[in-house]
Amino acid sequence: MASRAALYYAHIESPCGMLELIVSAKGLKKINVMDQRSSCLKGVTLSIERTQVFATQLQEYFDGTRTEFDFPLDLEGTPFQKLCWEALARIPYGKTCSYSQQAEDMKNPKALRAVGQANGRNPVPIVIPCHRVIASDGSLGGFSSGLNMKKFLLAHERKVSSKGGNEEGSNKRGLEDDVVAEDSKKRRVVETSA
């Protein structure tokens, strides 16, 4: 019987409340919003060192100096969930799309309900931006971490986008970089653990 890979965690303060980061040697596995869920950390070791790159980039996101993440992910999900998360990763910072647009992007326009369910199982909200998906009528729709957090994240991204971000240390890309970034994001989700 194979032993379970070592997992590490840390808690970070954010404008959305306390976030719990769970990482493996391969990358970020999960973000728990502590105001929404209780922690289940049996066999998980506290490690500021192993979670530092993830915590730093999330803090930069909240500070408005980072608009995308470039650390590795170690996600577990079904093939369909991973396709949904790939589609989420292609939604540009500061923009939104509807569940139907996401399903169409996945070449499966009738899968609205399944898309919504897969989005709700996204283990790394913020990093894979399920908050950017709204209902076709423009209402917020759902969000596994709560609608207040979704409202905050959308407002935060609109504010940063309207300012053009902090030029010093900003990770904003030009439109010409989108195709390369989309391919790399797609690989990042697909190449994660099964």
Side-chain angles (χ1 to χ4, degrees), residues 16 20 29 38 41 55 75 88 98 102 136 157 165 172 174:
C16 299
E20 179 178 74
K29 288 191 80 61
S38 62
L41 294 178
L75 305 180
L88 290 172
S98 68
Q102 182 184 357
S136 295
E157 291 185 3
K172 286 186 142 287

Side-chain angles (χ1 to χ4, degrees), residues 51-123:
T51 57
Q52 189 62 49
V53 67
F54 310 102
T56 298
Q57 289 192 26
L58 280 162
Q59 189 58 55
E60 291 168 352
Y61 169 87
F62 287 117
D63 289 344
T65 60
R66 177 172 290 277
T67 59
E68 63 182 45
F69 301 96
D70 58 14
F71 48 68
L73 300 176
D74 183 15
L75 305 180
E76 296 178 19
T78 67
F80 182 78
Q81 288 171 335
K82 288 182 179 183
L83 286 174
C84 289
W85 302 337
E86 290 170 17
L88 290 172
R90 291 190 294 270
I91 303 170
Y93 181 92
K95 305 289 185 191
T96 59
C97 80
S98 68
Y99 294 96
S100 62
Q101 289 170 321
Q102 182 184 357
E104 288 171 18
D105 179 49
M106 296 171 55
K107 311 267 188 275
N108 199 347
K110 295 184 180 186
L112 294 176
R113 186 175 301 235
V115 164
Q117 289 173 342
N119 289 357
R121 296 189 193 280
N122 172 11

Side-chain angles (χ1 to χ4, degrees), residues 10-14 17-21 54-56 58-59 62:
H11 294 132
I12 64 167
E13 292 279 342
S14 83
M18 185 70 69
L19 301 178
E20 179 178 74
L21 310 181
F54 310 102
T56 298
L58 280 162
Q59 189 58 55
F62 287 117

